[in-house]
């Protein structure tokens, strides 16, 4: 993140991605800046996008568009699994993914394992509308998600990896060893959804991710979201299961009947998100599976 004072009046916050691309947002003031053992954490009041959370200068969310990523990370797997009761979130210390998970009445327990206490504390104070911290079904653990997945005896129906980019401490969240441990804590009809970077910038990372997931899951898909705050706007999530198909097994009637007041997720987007533009699909070089819908496409 850089603060740039161009005209003496204008303050901008910008993220530079891979050295040759950037996005900037007009800022009003810094609400919080801190350094943890893991990363730098900033919360900025922007002029047009509400409050913004950055980890090591990378935009994690803005209040204006966080619903896109959080709804799609939670509702796609939770409306695919037949009866999701136990959900594990690794990362996600801002609480947004947990908030969407907990909108499902059938969820009995949601464990959120965030390595960085500073993220949780700063978000509770300066982004209080993002999380659903008071829900009694939520169990927040400040510890290393890698170690948690390796050591826990608990089993889960859905695991959500709400991570930063695969640099620094988050690199291991994209590794084969970690996915092995995730597969171990997932019940037989379990689903893993993980933050999967940008189809425009990161197809090498996406291929490696799927190659690392492949030994433990029979079905791997990429699905897309479109937001304002992640580099380039087009972003993706990976879906891995031991058999469940996000299209044919989706509980779309339930999604309709529950009538959650979502702002991005709906039953058409649930399916449509898995249809990939040719470059996004071809660049995976077969590392993920194709979906079978619509017929003939
Ligand atoms: N997880 C981060 C998505 C990756 C964003 N990357 C970037 N800006 N370079 C978001 C955390 C929200 N719960």
């Amino acid at each position: 993140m850089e603060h740039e004072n161009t005209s003496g009046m204008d303050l901008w916050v910008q993220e530079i991605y891979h050295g040759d691309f950037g996005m900037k947002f007009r800022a009003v003031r810094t609400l919080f800046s801190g350094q943890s053992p893991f990363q730098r954490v900033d919360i900025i009041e922007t002029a047009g996008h509400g409050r913004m959370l950055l980890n090591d200068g990378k935009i994690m969310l803005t209040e204006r568009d966080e619903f896109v990523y959080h709804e799609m990370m939670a509702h796609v797997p939770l409306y695919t699994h037949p009866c999701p009761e136990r959900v594990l979130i690794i990362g996600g210390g801002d609480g947004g993914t947990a908030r969407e998970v907990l909108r499902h009445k059938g969820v009995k327990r949601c464990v959120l394992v965030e390595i960085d206490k500073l993220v949780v504390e700063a978000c509770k104070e300066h982004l209080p509308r993002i999380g659903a911290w008071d829900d009694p079904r939520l169990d927040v653990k400040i510890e290393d998600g890698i170690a948690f997945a390796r050591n826990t005896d608990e089993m889960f129906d859905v695991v959500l990896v709400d991570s930063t980019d695969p640099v620094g401490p988050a690199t291991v969240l994209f590794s084969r060893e970690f996915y092995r441990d995730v597969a171990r804590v997932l019940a037989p009809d379990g689903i893993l959804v993980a933050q999967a970077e940008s189809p425009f910038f990161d197809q090498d990372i996406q291929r490696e991710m799927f190659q690392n997931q492949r030994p433990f899951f029979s079905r791997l898909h990429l699905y897309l979201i479109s937001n304002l705050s992640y580099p380039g706007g087009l972003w993706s999530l990976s879906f891995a299961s031991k058999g469940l198909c996000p299209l044919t097994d989706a509980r779309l009637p339930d999604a309709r009947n529950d009538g959650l007041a979502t702002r991005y997720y709906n039953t058409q987007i649930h399916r449509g998100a898995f249809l990939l533009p040719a470059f996004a699909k071809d660049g995976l070089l077969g590392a993920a599976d194709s979906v079978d819908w619509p017929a003939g496409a």
Side-chain angles (χ1 to χ4, degrees):
M1 181 191 70
E2 290 169 25
H3 276 136
E4 179 189 324
N5 221 329
T6 45
S7 68
M9 293 296 286
D10 272 2
L11 188 65
W12 294 81
V13 51
Q14 75 177 1
E15 175 181 340
I16 304 289
Y17 199 55
H18 294 322
D20 57 10
F21 177 83
M23 300 188 300
K24 62 184 191 178
F25 299 76
R26 199 151 66 80
V28 177
R29 66 198 169 109
T30 299
L31 296 165
F32 177 85
S33 275
Q35 176 73 44
S36 76
F38 306 102
Q39 60 204 341
R40 183 188 158 111
V41 177
D42 295 282
I43 299 178
I44 310 285
E45 178 84 51
T46 72
H49 302 266
R51 295 181 177 190
M52 173 186 280
L53 169 69
L54 301 102
N55 291 354
D56 279 342
K58 303 293 176 207
I59 298 172
M60 295 294 111
L61 65 82
T62 77
E63 287 181 314
R64 182 167 175 193
D65 69 336
E66 54 84 19
F67 64 92
V68 176
Y69 172 93
H70 292 138
E71 288 181 11
M72 290 297 279
M73 174 160 270
H75 301 315
V76 169
L78 287 167
Y79 278 128
T80 298
H81 191 282
C83 182
E85 295 183 343
R86 306 159 292 178
V87 179
L88 170 63
I89 300 169
I90 303 224
D94 52 78
T97 298
R99 178 197 70 219
E100 293 302 318
V101 166
L102 292 165
R103 296 173 77 188
H104 290 253
K105 294 205 168 59
V107 169
K108 296 197 164 117
R109 175 162 164 77
C110 178
V111 181
L112 189 163
V113 184
E114 165 64 54
I115 197 168
D116 196 345
K117 191 168 166 223
L118 188 64
V119 171
V120 175
E121 285 173 350
C123 290
K124 278 186 177 172
E125 177 156 2
H126 298 287
L127 287 163
R129 286 190 298 272
I130 301 296
W133 301 109
D134 295 333
D135 192 304
R137 297 169 295 164
L138 180 64
D139 184 359
V140 178
K141 295 180 189 295
I142 303 296
E143 58 182 83
D144 181 0
I146 306 280
F148 181 87
R150 187 172 310 141
N151 300 324
T152 183
D153 296 329
E154 270 195 86
M155 295 292 279
F156 295 93
D157 302 309
V158 173
V159 175
L160 305 176
V161 180
D162 186 1
S163 74
T164 53
D165 301 332
V167 283
T171 313
V172 270
L173 294 175
F174 292 72
S175 71
R176 185 164 298 211
E177 294 66 33
F178 172 64
Y179 295 134
R180 174 183 299 126
D181 292 332
V182 168
R184 187 185 66 78
V185 305
L186 272 174
D189 52 4
I191 298 171
L192 159 67
V193 163
Q195 190 281 106
E197 303 290 294
S198 158
F200 277 117
F201 295 110
D202 302 308
Q203 288 189 312
D204 47 347
I205 295 172
Q206 295 182 334
R207 284 194 303 271
E208 198 180 323
M209 239 181 126
F210 285 123
Q211 282 156 11
N212 288 340
Q213 293 177 1
R214 179 61 76 188
F216 317 109
F217 297 94
S218 55
R219 207 176 244 288
L220 301 177
H221 298 294
L222 189 76
Y223 66 102
L224 300 181
I225 62 171
S226 181
N227 79 3
L228 267 171
S229 304
Y230 296 158
L234 182 69
W235 209 255
S236 53
L237 299 166
S238 70
F239 177 104
S241 79
K242 300 178 182 179
L244 286 172
C245 169
L247 303 186
T248 57
D249 291 313
R251 294 185 292 116
L252 300 181
D254 290 347
R256 253 178 236 115
N257 293 336
D258 285 354
L260 302 185
T262 51
R263 289 196 286 157
Y264 191 90
Y265 178 89
N266 60 34
T267 55
Q268 290 179 324
I269 277 289
H270 180 123
R271 289 179 289 189
F274 288 86
L275 298 178
L276 304 180
F279 83 94
K281 181 177 175 173
D282 295 348
L284 296 176
L285 305 178
D289 303 312
S290 304
V291 287
D292 306 324
W293 180 92

